[in-house]
Amino acid sequence: MAPPAQPEPASPPDVFDETCSARHALELVASKWSVLILTALAGGPTRNAELLCRIGGISQKMLTQTLRELERNGLVLRQDFHTARPCVEYRLSPLGESLSETLAALDRWAERHFPALDAARDRYDALLKER
């Protein structure tokens, strides 16, 4: 069965237009927590506690808020097992999976280039102190 047809936008997508939904999509995935959560979920279904341990520095509140926003926007699926002891897993939706490769490339770029970024920041800060 073919996927449902997407409605034609009134005007071409333009991330520079503040009213364009493409801008909203960009804002959603540009959040550091969204990037980290989506990348962590690329490995398969993951429970909340596992995400909390894996993503250093994120609070439970921020994890919950970001997961809800990602779920609301169709990037993450939540499965509640309805057990006596709460058990919930999160996984990427097909839409989230389509974004996964791009985010993995962004992660690799950051890991490869952080020394250059750190050095540039140090040089800039040293110049400011000299002024």
Side-chain angles (χ1 to χ4, degrees):
M1 186 166 142
Q6 298 293 320
E8 288 294 319
S11 59
D14 179 2
V15 294
F16 296 104
D17 177 355
E18 67 182 338
T19 64
C20 181
S21 287
R23 161 98 56 103
H24 302 292
L26 190 58
E27 289 170 354
L28 173 67
V29 299
S31 148
K32 76 174 175 181
W33 298 125
S34 291
V35 170
L36 293 171
I37 290 169
L38 291 167
T39 303
L41 291 175
T46 309
R47 293 173 71 175
N48 186 294
E50 293 172 87
L51 288 170
L52 198 58
C53 288
R54 177 134 191 238
I55 302 170
I58 193 169
S59 67
Q60 179 62 65
K61 179 181 178 184
M62 184 55 65
L63 177 60
T64 299
Q65 286 176 349
T66 307
L67 283 167
R68 284 183 183 152
E69 191 64 17
L70 293 170
E71 182 183 8
R72 177 176 178 255
N73 283 276
L75 295 171
V76 167
L77 300 172
R78 180 182 186 271
Q79 182 175 7
D80 187 341
F81 291 95
H82 301 289
T83 55
R85 184 173 174 208
C87 181
V88 176
E89 277 186 349
Y90 295 91
R91 64 183 171 87
L92 294 178
S93 69
L95 185 61
E97 288 173 0
S98 73
L99 180 59
S100 182
E101 188 176 317
T102 300
L103 294 180
L106 181 61
D107 286 348
R108 288 190 302 274
W109 182 90
E111 290 168 349
R112 187 170 42 251
H113 294 289
F114 80 87
L117 295 169
D118 288 348
R121 193 170 38 255
D122 290 345
R123 284 190 305 275
Y124 183 89
D125 293 347
L127 285 172
L128 281 181
K129 286 180 183 178
E130 291 175 9
R131 292 182 187 168

